[in-house]
Amino acid sequence: MDCKLMGIFNLYLIKRSFVFSISILILFGILDSIFSLISELENISERYTFTSILVYVFQSMPHRLIDFVEGACLLGVMIALAISHQEGNLNVLRSAGKSPFKIILISSIGPILLATLLILFDEVIFKKSYINAEINKNVLLEKVISSNENKWINQNDLFLGYQDIIEDNIFNAKLIKLIDDKEINVFESKLAKIDDTKIVFGNDQQVNFVIPIQSRISIKNIQNENISELYYLKKLFIESKLEDDILFKQHIDKALYKVVLIPLSIFALIAYFGSLIFGSLRDLNIGARITIAVFGAFVYKLMQDLSIGIFISFNLSVLIGVMIPSILLALLAINSYRKI
């Protein structure tokens, strides 16, 4: 087979795996949006209308796609390889001297490109859109939170209570100011703004108050921060020996490495499960291969969450905890290719 024809076959594999991967990712996004819509309908009110819910679901959906990209890419490649195998294209490539690993490597280019583009767009656009959607939702819902559910920060004679902080927005802010231990001033607002070293309440009252970095970013919202912001926070806490700061840094590492290493996870999944196309799965139909791929992606995510949790619990390197499932899959893939 000449180089030109080989190049056409390679491009065909890349294009096919990319198209299937992005199609499945969009399908996952639609299904997730339907479930999210059903869940949000429980909160419908005069202000948080059906239209508002649709806007929220639409704005937040692109960021949530990052949770499904690994499974979508694996499924896309498995379907693309299965169809190519049925068409006889894989046999043609093997007859031309292409090893199974090279075929899988070429097929993985499209999905890894898709994942990289999604991560970039998520950093630039999608996370911001998601945060704005959450802010608008909280404002429209006007949830009343009891004081024992609020978090509190103390600075000298100032006590700030709040439900949550997203970007520069403080929800259900209540600031208590003590004056000479005799007089008490209280500032309250359902939505207050952070203006550098000041807090601006709804009636334009301003109070000098510096919000600690750790208070501005909760562990539950840390996965919505940009990679650059996570790296900045990581450097801030790297020298701290306080137990709370160490735990917070580990969760920063978790959010950072899980996103940065998505392409590696995708390649590890494709490398192992793709090898089965040439081995034990070569006689199975497309439906069976899809089932195995879905189950494999689910188990992989389960293993990764488990290994990260164990490494955080024992104060070990989160990076290694994130990479262990990929390393295991790589070892299994090497063993599979040796048997082909």
Side-chain angles (χ1 to χ4, degrees):
M1 186 183 294
D2 59 45
C3 294
K4 185 176 181 180
L5 188 57
M6 184 66 75
I8 293 174
F9 266 94
N10 291 344
L11 187 61
Y12 183 67
L13 281 176
I14 295 171
K15 181 180 177 182
R16 173 173 272 182
S17 61
F18 180 88
V19 170
F20 275 115
S21 296
I22 196 170
S23 299
I24 293 170
L25 184 62
I26 292 171
L27 177 62
F28 283 171
I30 293 172
L31 291 174
D32 179 65
S33 296
I34 292 172
F35 288 120
S36 178
L37 176 63
I38 294 171
S39 176
E40 289 299 321
L41 285 175
E42 297 178 0
N43 300 319
I44 197 167
S45 64
E46 290 185 7
R47 294 196 63 189
Y48 193 50
T49 62
F50 182 75
T51 302
S52 302
I53 292 173
L54 285 177
V55 171
Y56 169 76
V57 171
F58 179 77
Q59 284 186 325
S60 60
M61 186 265 283
H63 172 57
R64 293 199 303 269
L65 288 178
I66 206 78
D67 294 329
F68 309 110
V69 67
E70 290 157 321
C73 288
L74 175 60
L75 273 174
V77 170
M78 293 295 286
I79 294 173
L81 288 173
I83 294 175
S84 295
H85 178 67
Q86 289 181 344
E87 293 172 347
N89 294 332
L90 298 187
N91 292 331
V92 172
L93 288 172
R94 292 202 66 183
S95 301
K98 286 282 187 182
S99 67
F101 180 73
K102 285 185 178 179
I103 294 173
I104 297 300
L105 183 63
I106 292 168
S107 299
S108 68
I109 293 174
I112 290 175
L113 175 62
L114 170 63
T116 303
L117 289 173
L118 180 62
I119 292 170
L120 290 175
F121 277 109
D122 194 44
E123 290 298 303
V124 176
I125 302 172
F126 297 159
K127 283 183 179 178
K128 185 69 175 178
S129 176
Y130 175 83
I131 290 171
N132 288 336
E134 286 290 324
I135 291 171
N136 292 334
K137 172 186 170 181
N138 288 345
V139 170
L140 291 173
L141 283 176
E142 293 186 314
K143 290 182 179 178
V144 178
I145 306 297
S146 60
S147 59
N148 62 346
E149 293 179 299
N150 276 11
K151 304 161 192 171
W152 290 89
I153 305 171
N154 171 227
Q155 285 183 10
N156 299 322
D157 295 328
L158 298 173
F159 297 85
L160 174 67
Y162 62 95
Q163 173 200 341
D164 202 0
I165 299 177
I166 303 177
E167 292 281 278
D168 292 328
N169 301 273
I170 308 175
F171 293 93
N172 285 356
K174 181 176 183 178
L175 190 141
I176 300 173
K177 184 176 183 180
L178 302 179
I179 302 175
D180 298 329
D181 293 328
K182 297 178 181 179
E183 185 180 347
I184 297 178
N185 284 348
V186 178
F187 305 86
E188 290 185 272
S189 180
K190 290 180 178 178
L191 180 64
K193 295 282 187 179
I194 300 172
D195 183 9
D196 196 13
T197 60
K198 298 178 181 178
I199 297 177
V200 182
F201 291 85
N203 51 6
D204 290 331
Q205 289 180 303
Q206 298 184 9
V207 180
N208 290 323
F209 196 100
V210 179
I211 305 290
I213 293 175
Q214 189 168 336
S215 297
R216 295 185 63 164
I217 304 173
S218 63
I219 288 178
K220 71 173 184 177
N221 292 325
I222 204 168
Q223 69 271 15
N224 301 321
E225 294 295 325
N226 292 328
I227 291 176
S228 58
E229 182 67 20
L230 290 173
Y231 183 70
Y232 169 72
L233 291 170
K234 177 181 168 70
K235 289 196 299 182
L236 286 179
F237 289 95
I238 200 166
E239 299 295 335
S240 178
K241 303 298 181 183
L242 296 175
E243 186 175 338
D244 288 345
D245 288 348
I246 291 172
L247 178 62
F248 189 70
K249 177 184 171 296
Q250 286 179 315
H251 282 279
I252 292 172
D253 288 342
K254 173 184 174 181
L256 177 63
Y257 294 135
K258 281 190 73 173
V259 173
V260 171
L261 296 178
I262 281 177
L264 175 64
S265 296
I266 290 172
F267 180 71
L269 285 164
I270 292 173
Y272 174 64
F273 287 98
S275 69
L276 302 181
I277 292 290
F278 300 94
S280 59
L281 296 187
R282 62 180 179 272
D283 296 324
L284 294 181
N285 58 36
I286 293 178
R289 298 181 198 203
I290 290 174
T291 302
I292 291 172
V294 170
F295 180 74
F298 173 75
V299 171
Y300 177 86
K301 294 291 286 185
L302 214 60
M303 285 178 57
Q304 191 177 62
D305 289 339
L306 179 62
S307 64
I308 291 172
I310 291 172
F311 274 66
I312 288 177
S313 298
F314 289 94
N315 195 21
L316 300 173
S317 172
V318 177
L319 176 59
I320 297 176
V322 174
M323 292 184 65
I324 279 179
S326 297
I327 294 171
L328 290 176
L329 279 182
L331 293 174
L332 290 172
I334 291 171
N335 184 58
S336 295
Y337 287 113
R338 284 178 178 174
K339 295 178 179 179
I340 297 174

